[in-house]
Amino acid sequence: MTKVSMTVNGRAVSGEVEGRTLLSAFLREGLGLTGTHVGCDTSQCGACVVHVDGKAIKSCTVFAMDVAGAEVRTIEGMANADGSLGTIQQAFQDHHGLQCGFCTPGMVMSAAALLAENPKPSEADVRHYLDGNICRCTGYHNIVKAVLAASGQDVSAVAAE
Amino acid sequence: MHNFDFVKPASIADAVKALSSDGAQALSGGQTLLPTMKQRLAAPAVLVSLTGIAEMKGVCRGDGGLHVGAATTHATVAKEAAAHYPALAALAGGIGDPAVRNRGTIGGSIANNDPAACYPAGVLGSGATVVTSKRKIAADDFFQGLFSTALDEGEIVTEVRFPIPEKAAYVKFQQPASRFALTGVFVAKFGTGVRVAVTGAGQGGVFRWTEAEAALSRSFAPGAVDGLSLSGDDMISDLHGSAAYRANLVKVLTGRAVAAAG
Amino acid sequence: MPKDHGIGASSKRREDIRFLTGRGVYTDDMNLHGQTYAVFVRSQVAHGRIKSINTSNAASMPGVLAVFTGEDFKDVGGNPAGWLINSRDGTPMREPKRPVLAHGKVRHVGDAYAAVVAESYAEAKDAAEQLAADSDIEELPAIIDMAAAVANASNRVHDEIPDNLCYDWGWIEDNRAAVDAAIKAAPHVTVLELVNNRLVPNAMEPRASIGEYFPGTGDYKLTTTSQNPHLTRLLVAAFVLGIPENKLTVVAPDVGGGFGSKIYHYGEEAVVLAAAKKLARPVRWTAERSESFLSDAHGRDHVTKIELACEKDGTFIAFRTETMANVGAYLSNFATVTPTFLHGTLMAGPYKVPNVYVNVKTVFTNTAPVDAYRGAGRPEATYSLERVIDKMCRELGLDPFEVRRKNFITTDMFPYTTPVGLAYDTGNYHATLDKAIEIGNVAGFEARRAASAKRGKLRGMGLSTWIEACGIAPSHLVGVLGARVGLYDAATVRVNATGNISVMTGAHSHGQGHETVFAQIVAEKLGVPEASVEIVHGDTSKIPFGMGSYGSRSLAVCGVAVTKAIDKIVAKGKKIAAHMLEAAEEDITFENGSFSVAGTDKAKTFGEIAFSAYVPHNYPLETLEPGLEETAFYDPANFTYPAGAYICEVEVDAETGKVDVVAFHCADDFGNIMNPMVVEGQVHGGVGQGIGQALCENTTYDDTGQLLTGSYMDYAMPRAGDVPFYNVDYSCQTPCTHNPLGVKGCGEAGAIGSPPAVVNAVIDALHRGGHTHVKHIDMPVSPSRVWQAIHG
Ligand SMILES: Cc1cc2nc3c(=O)[nH]c(=O)nc-3n(C[C@H](O)[C@H](O)[C@H](O)COP(=O)(O)OP(=O)(O)OC[C@H]3O[C@@H](n4cnc5c(N)ncnc54)[C@H](O)[C@@H]3O)c2cc1C
Ligand code: FES
Ligand code: FES
C-alpha cells in the first residue's frame, strides 16, 4: 500500500492504494464517490469518464498512482455551488437525456469536455465526440439534444418534443 | 489484475534502469495495457510509467520533419501536428474516442503494433524513423508482424520522426464494435515517390502495398489503383469481414485516401 | 396549451436529480460493514463433465473465507421454468433441472460451477483462478448448431433429453391442415428463410447481488439488480433455497437498465444468500462485463422459414412458419413462453388474414440461456411478417403501402379475433400508416434519393407496420396457456396524516420513470400537487406483492392498480366527508382535491379528510375504520394492443457495404398518453436497440462453443454516431377499451417495429441501385454482409 494524494472536486484527498488500484476504484471505494460507474472491462463504455487536469479520461483505464497530484473532477463536482443542477445536468433533465441513469455520469462528463473544447458543436460533432460513451436506454436522441441545448443552441426544430 | 510495484521515473535514463529489473514493463497511456492486465493476459511485476518523462512528450519541427515524443497523447498530436502534418493529425484524431485519445500515446501504439491499430499505418506510410532508448530504427524495419516489433527487451521508443510528404491522407473504415480499423490505408506522396501502408487487413499486421505505390507514383489519382487486383490470400478473415472483403476495402480506401490527399 | 401538471403533462423526471448528481444508489454502490466478495468460477468449455474439483488449495489462500461447488447445492431446488408448454402431440416440454451451480456437467462457456468468497475482491479472484486450475473437466463435443442438435441424438446437452428438443409446438394445431390446404391452393406463395439474430441485452449496469443474513432473527436480505423483486423472492426462497418467503427481503434499488435480462432469477443470487448465512457477513458480487456476456440471458436466436400465400393482388390468404428457437443450455424463467405464446400469437400482425399456423421447435444447445429481451417473441413475429410481405411485394410488383392498406383490419371490425387466438380490442392501422407517410414525407423520397445518388450513395426506404400484445397479462388466460404465475399487479396508496401520499407499487422502474409518471396520475386523480406524491418501489418489505416491470406492463397493469387503489381512497374519503359535512354519502362529490356536498358550498379539502382519518375525533368509527390507506390488485381483462407504422430511410455505400440510417419515422398508437416526454424516450430507446439488431449486434459462438463476441471489442453496440434523430408521433390514439386509463404500453414498441423497417430499406436501396438479385440479407446487415450480397 502506498499513499496517494490528489484533488477531487476541489478538495485535497489522499488514501492508501496498491499499484493496481484503478482511479475508478479509488474514487468509488476509497472516497465513496460512487457516481462514477463501471460498465465494462475493456475500456469501451465510458460510464467511468471523469476529468483529470481538465481532460476527459476513462477512470477505469488509469491507475490511481499514475494521476497522483492531479486535479480530478467527477459527476459529484458538476452541480452549481448552491447545489442546483449545472447547465449540462439541467439540460439532461429538461430534455430527458437519461433513463436508467447508469451511463449518465460519463455522458455528462464527456459532454462537459466537449463543450469546453467546442462551445457550439454541431449535431455531428456531438455524436462523434460521444463515440466512447455507450447508452442502452435512450437511443442517444435526447442525449444529443440535451448537449446541443446545453451549448445554448435552439433545439426546438429537432424531431418532435 | 495481479499486483505490481509502480514506479514513475522522470527521465529516459531512469526509465531504462527501472525496466532492467525482472518482470518490469513499460506503461504509457495504458489504453491497451490496462485492459490486457484486467484479463490477466499480462502480469508485470513492476510497471514503469512513462507519462512523467517530459523529454518524451511534445510535437516539434526538427531536422527532416516532425518529431513526436513517444509519450505524446493522440489528442496532443491531433492538435499540435495539424499545422505541420495534417494527415497525421487527422489519423491521431480518429483513434478511439476522446477519452482514449487523452491518454493513449504514439509510443504505446507502435510498440504494441496491434494489427488493427492506426499509427502503424501512419508511421510506415510516412517512412518515419523510430527513435528508441538505444538506436534509430527505420519504420520498414520496425514492424515485424502481429504485436511484434524490432524492440529488444527493456528498449523503449522515445520519439518518432516523420518526414513530411507533399500530400497525404489516412482513411479508416471502422470495425463496427471496437472502432479500431477494420481496414485503414495511409497514402503519402513524396517527391521521391508514393508510399501506401495498410493496417487492419494483413495477416502479418501493417504492410506496404507496393503495387499501389508504383501505380500512384506514376499517376497520383484515385483511379490509378482501379486496375490493380489485390489477392485476399494474406488478408485477415474474421467475424467482421472476410479476406475478400478486406482486399476490396484496401482498394476502395486507397482510392479514397488519394482523393482526400488532393 | 400542453398541460404542465398531472396526466398528459411532460413533467420532468424527479429521479433525474439523483442520477445527474451521482447520487443514485445502484447495488454495487452499497458499502456494507463487514462485507465480503464472491467471485464465480466459470466453465471455459462449452460442454464438459466435471470429474473433480480440488478446493483445498483455493480454500487455504489468503483471505479466502469459503468455497462452494455444485455439490453444496445439489439438494436444493432448481431454478424453475415459469411456463409449461406442451408439444403438438400433447406431451409436456422437457424440463431439466437448472442447478444453482453446475453439478456433474458444465453446459456452456461461462456456466458457473464454483464460487469463492474472500475478504477482498482481489483475493477472491486469485483463489477463483486457482480453483479453475484445480478443476478437472473432461471436454465433450459442443452442441451449438440447432439443426445438428436435433439431428444428433447421441450428443446431448442434458443426458436425459435424447434429441435436445424442449418441445415441438404448433399454434394452432387444429388449424394446421386448413392452412396447408389454403397455401397449396393459393395463386402465389412467397417463401423466406431468415435468422433472427441472437442478441445480448447489455443493460449498462452489470448484474450485481448482495446477500445478507441476520442470525438474531433468521432473516435474509438480497439486494439485487432485478426488474421484479417479488418474483425473484418467490423463486429464490420458495423454489430454490427453501427459505420461508417471509424471512427474505428482496431489494432492487436503482437498477441500470434491464430489457428483460434482469427479470430472471440467476444462481449467483442464491449463492450470495447461502454464503451470507454460512459466514454471517454480507457477501457481494458484481459481474464484470465479460461475465455478463457469458451469463446474462440472451435474446432472440430464431431460425425461421415463413411462407406467405396471397392473391395476385396481394390479398393475404395464409401465413405459415417453421421456427427453431434456441433456448441455450438451461431453461431461464420465461424462456419457454417467449418463442411460443409471445411469438406465435402475433403471427397475424394487424392483418385480416384468415389462415395462420406457427410451428416452433425449441432446442437445447451449449450456449448461454436465451430468454425474453425487449419485445420478446413479438419482434421475431414482426420481423418475419414484415420481411416476407416486403419480399412478396417485390415478387409481384406491388406497392408495399397499398398491400398493407388492403390487408389491414379495419376500424369497424373491432373487437377482432385473430386466427392465432388473440382478441384485439381496438386500433386504427390505416391512421398510423397515413401518419407515418405524412411525417416521413414519402412524397419527397425521390428527391432525397437523387440527392443521395449525387453523393454516391444508394438510398432506400423501408416500411414496417407492427402490432404487439403487451400489458402482460390476464392471469386466467395465461394460466390456461401454461403460466405458472399470475400476472396481475398491485399498488398501495397511503395517504399520510398530513395529506401527502406514499404509493407503493409492484412495478419496478429501471429507467422508465415511474417515480414521476405514477405521481402524475395520483396527483391528477386526487387533485394534489405532484410533489406531494412519493412513489416507493423495489423493496418487498415495503411494497405489495406485484410482478414487476417487463412486457410493457408497468402502466397498463400496475398503473391501473394505482388508479383502483385511488378509487378506494376517494370512496372512503366520501364516507368521511359525508360524516363531517353531515350529508348523505351519495351527495358527496370529489373534484380537484375537494369533497363537497352537491349543490352547496359545504366542502372539505383532501387534507382535512386525511387528517380526520388519522385523528378520528369527528369520525364515524362505528361504521368505518380509521386511516386512509388502500391496496388494489389489478388483473387485466385482456392484453393491450399498441400498433404503428415505421418508415426507415437508409443510405448504402455500395463500395464498402456500409449502411447509414438517415431517417427514422414512427407513427404509434399507444392509446392515452400519461407523459409524452417519457413515451418518446421509450420509443427512442427501443428504436435504437432495433437499429442495433438490424445493423450491428450479433452474438456468435464458434463450433466449439466459444463466444466470439464476448466484449464490446467484438459485440457491436450502437453508438451515438450510428443513429439519427428519430421522428416520433403518437397522435393516433385509440384508447384501450378494457383498462380505465385507456393506456396500451410503449416500452417495447420501438424494438419490435424497427428491425424490419431497416432491413426493408436496405433491400430497397440495393434494388434501386440495380442489385436486384439481392432478395434478403440476414441481420445484422453489416458492411461485409451487404458487400457480400452485392457481389454474391
Ligand atoms: C476504446 C479504445 C479504442 C481504441 N481505438 C483505437 C483505434 O481506433 N486505433 C488505434 O490505433 N488504437 C486504438 N486504441 C488503442 C490506443 O490507441 C492505445 O492508446 C494504444 O494502442 C496504446 O498506447 P498506450 O500509450 O495506451 O500504451 P500502453 O497501453 O501503455 O502500452 C501498450 C504496450 O506498449 C508498451 N509500451 C508503451 N509505451 C512504450 C514505449 N514508449 N516503448 C516501448 N514500449 C512501450 C507497453 O509495455 C505495452 O506492452 C483504442 C483503445 C481503446 C481502449
Ligand atoms: S468502465 Fe471505463 S470504459 Fe467501461
Ligand atoms: S440512461 Fe441507461 S444506459 Fe444511458
Side-chain angles (χ1 to χ4, degrees):
Chain A
M1 290 280 188
T2 314
K3 187 171 166 188
V4 68
S5 305
M6 60 187 80
T7 308
V8 177
N9 299 327
R11 204 164 53 90
V13 298
S14 60
E16 295 287 319
V17 297
E18 294 183 314
R20 62 180 160 185
T21 306
L22 300 168
L23 177 59
S24 52
F26 179 64
L27 293 170
R28 288 177 55 78
E29 290 151 35
L31 304 178
L33 295 173
T34 55
T36 297
H37 294 157
V38 175
C40 74
D41 44 17
T42 52
S43 308
Q44 253 127 356
C45 75
C48 63
V49 169
V50 302
H51 296 180
V52 169
D53 295 330
K55 295 195 169 108
I57 60 112
K58 291 178 172 172
S59 63
C60 73
T61 316
V62 57
F63 295 114
M65 279 164 80
D66 215 3
V67 291
E71 293 263 355
V72 177
R73 195 168 184 213
T74 71
I75 188 68
E76 286 90 347
M78 293 299 284
N80 296 326
D82 65 358
S84 61
L85 296 182
T87 309
I88 298 172
Q89 292 167 315
Q90 188 61 57
F92 269 67
Q93 190 196 25
D94 291 347
H95 297 281
H96 191 25
L98 63 152
Q99 291 183 24
C100 80
F102 197 80
C103 72
T104 308
M107 286 288 177
V108 169
M109 299 314 289
S110 283
L114 165 64
L115 297 184
E117 275 174 40
N118 180 356
K120 287 274 177 287
S122 66
E123 178 199 338
D125 293 339
V126 176
R127 291 187 186 276
H128 182 65
Y129 201 90
L130 296 179
D131 198 50
N133 291 83
I134 303 177
C135 175
R136 193 51 151 173
C137 296
T138 63
Y140 302 101
H141 181 112
N142 284 335
I143 292 176
V144 176
K145 193 169 164 185
V147 177
L148 291 171
S151 74
Q153 304 186 68
D154 180 8
V155 291
S156 54
V158 168
E161 169 70 34
Chain B
M1 192 182 296
H2 294 284
N3 207 12
F4 50 82
D5 290 329
F6 182 87
V7 293
K8 194 163 180 175
S11 71
I12 294 173
D14 286 348
V16 170
K17 201 181 297 159
L19 280 165
S20 67
S21 73
D22 253 6
Q25 187 170 357
L27 169 71
S28 194
Q31 303 301 291
T32 292
L33 188 53
L34 263 74
T36 316
M37 289 171 67
K38 286 184 197 175
Q39 290 174 63
R40 301 195 159 202
L41 296 176
V46 182
L47 262 195
V48 182
S49 170
L50 306 178
T51 57
I53 304 174
E55 56 187 314
M56 277 177 64
K57 288 185 178 179
V59 176
C60 64
R61 285 302 281 249
D63 31 291
L66 193 70
H67 297 191
V68 180
T72 312
T73 63
H74 308 328
T76 301
V77 174
K79 203 156 119 205
E80 295 181 7
H84 312 287
Y85 192 172
L88 185 70
L91 175 148
I95 293 175
D97 57 62
V100 167
R101 293 195 289 274
N102 280 331
R103 293 289 303 173
T105 67
I106 183 169
S109 177
I110 65 170
N112 190 51
N113 194 18
D114 186 308
C118 301
Y119 262 129
V123 171
L124 186 63
S126 305
T129 303
V130 178
V131 183
T132 76
S133 48
K134 56 186 201 199
R135 55 189 165 144
K136 295 194 178 83
I137 310 173
D140 285 309
D141 303 324
F142 183 81
F143 300 105
Q144 303 193 339
L146 304 189
F147 299 104
S148 134
T149 67
L151 289 175
D152 293 334
E153 192 84 357
E155 180 177 15
I156 55 175
V157 179
T158 57
E159 189 176 81
V160 185
R161 297 186 179 165
F162 290 91
I164 298 178
E166 293 165 9
K167 294 176 175 182
Y170 175 64
V171 177
K172 168 184 177 183
F173 191 83
Q174 283 184 343
Q175 194 258 54
S178 71
R179 332 297 264 191
F180 276 68
L182 182 62
T183 293
V185 178
F186 195 96
V187 170
K189 180 177 186 300
F190 293 90
T192 50
V194 176
R195 289 175 70 102
V196 177
V198 178
T199 189
Q203 282 181 13
V206 65
F207 68 94
R208 284 172 65 186
W209 185 18
T210 47
E211 291 84 356
E213 291 182 352
L216 289 168
S217 297
R218 285 193 295 277
S219 156
F220 194 72
V225 294
D226 282 355
L228 301 182
S229 73
L230 185 67
S231 152
D233 288 355
D234 298 326
M235 299 284 164
I236 298 171
S237 184
D238 64 11
L239 281 183
H240 305 287
S242 63
Y245 177 63
R246 279 189 166 84
N248 166 69
L249 279 184
V250 172
K251 203 161 135 177
V252 170
L253 301 184
T254 303
R256 289 183 184 181
V258 173
Chain C
M1 233 338 239
K3 282 180 77 174
D4 65 358
H5 189 84
I7 289 177
S10 282
S11 297
K12 290 179 196 170
R13 298 200 330 167
R14 53 177 71 182
E15 47 270 70
D16 289 358
I17 308 282
R18 67 176 186 273
F19 296 139
L20 280 163
T21 52
R23 295 195 186 91
V25 181
Y26 301 84
T27 300
D28 188 65
D29 296 343
M30 294 179 187
N31 191 359
L32 301 177
H33 181 69
Q35 64 193 358
T36 65
Y37 296 79
V39 166
F40 289 82
V41 188
R42 297 182 185 277
S43 176
Q44 292 169 19
V45 299
H47 193 193
R49 202 165 299 282
I50 302 174
K51 301 184 77 174
S52 68
I53 304 171
N54 179 351
T55 58
S56 56
N57 290 332
S60 61
M61 284 173 70
V64 173
L65 300 165
V67 177
F68 297 87
T69 68
E71 194 64 22
D72 297 303
F73 293 94
K74 73 173 192 307
D75 297 326
V76 304
N79 186 358
W83 208 297
L84 173 70
I85 302 293
N86 290 323
S87 279
R88 289 163 47 202
D89 62 8
T91 55
M93 67 186 191
R94 272 79 162 263
E95 219 174 330
K97 181 176 177 184
R98 184 180 185 190
V100 172
L101 290 172
H103 187 236
K105 267 173 95 173
V106 285
R107 294 187 174 85
H108 65 92
V109 171
D111 198 3
Y113 64 89
V116 176
V117 182
E119 293 287 352
S120 73
Y121 173 71
E123 288 165 330
K125 189 99 177 152
D126 287 341
E129 199 171 70
Q130 182 64 47
L131 197 60
D134 293 342
S135 306
D136 182 6
I137 297 180
E138 178 199 356
E139 191 169 358
L140 301 171
I143 301 152
I144 303 302
D145 178 68
M146 285 191 276
V150 215
N152 180 353
S154 62
N155 197 8
R156 301 174 180 180
V157 178
H158 296 275
D159 296 350
E160 68 278 20
I161 301 176
D163 48 10
N164 296 306
L165 193 65
C166 181
Y167 52 74
D168 174 0
W169 179 79
W171 191 250
I172 291 174
E173 196 55 24
D174 289 347
N175 297 345
R176 183 179 192 148
V179 174
D180 288 352
I183 291 177
K184 209 161 183 189
H188 181 85
V189 180
T190 295
V191 185
L192 178 61
E193 294 186 24
L194 52 83
V195 173
N196 205 291
N197 44 326
R198 182 177 180 124
L199 304 174
V200 179
N202 272 307
M204 291 317 296
E205 179 205 20
R207 283 192 295 122
S209 304
I210 305 175
E212 290 173 80
Y213 179 71
F214 306 93
T217 57
D219 287 329
Y220 294 81
K221 182 174 175 186
L222 174 67
T223 305
T224 192
T225 49
S226 175
Q227 299 176 218
N228 34 230
H230 267 113
L231 188 63
T232 297
R233 189 181 74 171
L234 180 68
L235 292 168
V236 71
F239 285 86
V240 179
L241 292 180
I243 301 171
E245 256 182 292
N246 56 11
K247 293 306 251 181
L248 172 63
T249 295
V250 175
V251 177
D254 287 330
V255 172
F259 315 112
S261 66
K262 294 173 182 169
I263 297 174
Y264 325 115
H265 163 52
Y266 293 87
E268 291 90 349
E269 294 169 327
V271 171
V272 295
L273 282 173
K277 172 156 193 209
K278 179 164 180 175
L279 301 172
R281 289 172 66 180
V283 178
R284 61 187 301 154
W285 166 75
T286 300
E288 296 180 354
R289 178 60 59 186
S290 322
E291 285 184 280
S292 307
F293 271 103
L294 295 174
S295 68
D296 288 4
H298 295 177
R300 317 278 193 260
D301 205 350
H302 286 195
V303 176
T304 292
K305 175 180 169 193
I306 180 163
E307 291 159 286
L308 158 54
C310 62
E311 305 289 353
K312 294 279 183 201
D313 70 353
T315 303
F316 300 161
I317 297 170
F319 291 110
R320 180 171 63 193
T321 66
E322 277 171 39
T323 289
M324 290 239 238
N326 199 339
V327 80
Y330 302 102
L331 295 180
S332 174
N333 301 136
F334 286 125
T336 53
V337 68
T338 301
T340 52
F341 290 108
L342 294 180
H343 164 239
T345 56
L346 266 300
M347 210 42 107
Y351 308 113
K352 48 188 182 202
V353 53
N355 303 291
V356 180
Y357 176 76
V358 178
N359 174 241
V360 178
K361 294 187 178 68
T362 291
V363 183
F364 291 103
T365 58
N366 292 122
T367 63
V370 181
D371 204 328
Y373 163 65
R374 200 173 197 166
R378 291 148 289 166
E380 293 90 320
T382 304
Y383 183 68
S384 298
L385 286 173
E386 296 304 301
R387 275 295 299 132
V388 79
I389 293 169
D390 197 69
K391 184 160 183 260
M392 179 271 277
C393 292
R394 275 181 209 290
E395 286 174 359
L396 295 178
L398 300 173
D399 175 54
F401 294 92
E402 281 318 309
V403 165
R404 264 103 175 167
R405 274 206 185 92
K406 185 191 301 272
N407 287 287
F408 277 154
I409 297 159
T410 51
T411 50
D412 54 341
M413 296 169 80
F414 292 106
Y416 178 88
T417 302
T418 73
V420 270
L422 293 177
Y424 298 165
D425 60 337
T426 176
N428 187 344
Y429 313 131
H430 287 88
T432 43
L433 179 59
D434 289 344
K435 180 54 83 176
I437 291 171
E438 175 200 324
I439 64 173
N441 183 14
V442 169
F445 176 75
E446 192 43 43
R448 295 192 293 277
R449 194 196 61 75
S452 298
K454 276 217 180 86
R455 283 180 283 119
K457 299 285 177 68
L458 307 179
R459 196 178 184 107
M461 179 165 55
L463 170 68
S464 147
T465 50
W466 62 275
I467 185 167
E468 64 153 322
C470 66
I472 287 173
S475 296
H476 64 92
L477 176 60
V478 298
V480 171
L481 301 180
R484 288 164 169 164
V485 288
L487 285 166
Y488 49 82
D489 218 289
T492 298
V493 175
R494 177 183 299 154
V495 181
N496 298 310
T498 51
N500 63 28
I501 299 164
S502 308
V503 180
M504 280 62 78
T505 67
H508 182 270
S509 182
H510 29 281
Q512 298 90 335
H514 298 171
E515 292 169 36
T516 301
V517 180
F518 284 176
Q520 287 177 253
I521 296 171
V522 176
E524 173 95 20
K525 300 268 176 193
L526 290 179
V528 297
E530 282 175 25
S532 72
V533 183
E534 194 67 21
I535 306 296
V536 179
H537 62 101
D539 182 337
T540 59
S541 67
K542 295 179 181 163
I543 60 173
F545 196 111
M547 297 307 286
S549 293
Y550 43 84
S552 305
R553 70 191 303 277
S554 301
L555 189 57
V557 186
C558 190
V560 175
V562 171
T563 67
K564 297 265 179 196
I566 290 171
D567 290 346
K568 294 188 190 177
I569 294 281
V570 171
K572 185 167 182 182
K574 282 184 178 170
K575 289 197 169 76
I576 302 170
H579 177 89
M580 292 173 76
L581 296 168
E582 297 174 334
E585 197 185 320
E586 309 77 64
D587 293 338
I588 304 290
T589 58
F590 179 66
E591 221 174 325
N592 295 328
S594 168
F595 292 89
S596 53
V597 183
T600 73
D601 59 0
K602 292 207 292 182
K604 289 282 176 194
T605 64
F606 185 77
E608 288 171 316
I609 296 296
F611 188 76
S612 152
Y614 289 96
V615 187
H617 296 162
N618 176 17
Y619 194 90
L621 283 168
E622 325 68 57
T623 54
L624 201 61
E625 294 170 8
L628 197 52
E629 170 169 332
E630 297 288 350
T631 294
F633 282 74
Y634 172 71
D635 201 291
N638 189 354
F639 292 95
T640 61
Y641 300 99
Y646 287 2
I647 293 175
C648 174
E649 283 186 33
V650 299
E651 281 185 345
V652 178
D653 176 345
E655 285 185 329
T656 63
K658 185 161 193 305
V659 175
D660 286 317
V661 174
V662 290
F664 205 100
H665 308 280
C666 306
D668 292 308
D669 175 1
F670 297 130
N672 293 335
I673 302 291
M674 300 293 114
N675 180 322
M677 176 190 85
V678 167
V679 166
E680 281 172 26
Q682 289 295 306
V683 176
H684 296 158
V687 172
Q689 288 178 338
I691 292 175
Q693 166 162 33
L695 290 188
C696 56
E697 292 181 43
N698 202 18
T699 309
T700 310
Y701 286 93
D702 71 10
D703 295 344
T704 68
Q706 293 298 326
L707 179 61
L708 300 180
T709 50
S711 81
Y712 296 135
M713 292 295 280
D714 286 298
Y715 187 94
M717 292 285 280
R719 315 272 180 126
D722 296 330
V723 292
F725 280 129
Y726 320 105
N727 190 5
V728 178
D729 181 283
Y730 41 83
S731 63
C732 302
Q733 298 176 0
T734 60
C736 172
T737 59
H738 56 80
N739 73 47
L741 287 171
V743 295
K744 293 185 173 179
C746 64
E748 295 162 294
I752 292 170
S754 56
V758 177
V759 178
N760 288 347
V762 173
I763 302 295
D764 186 57
L766 295 182
H767 277 246
R768 289 176 195 268
H771 306 289
T772 51
H773 64 284
V774 182
K775 309 294 180 213
H776 176 68
I777 305 175
D778 272 326
M779 300 188 290
V781 181
S782 63
S784 69
R785 285 188 179 177
V786 173
W787 182 82
Q788 200 66 49
I790 291 174
H791 294 272

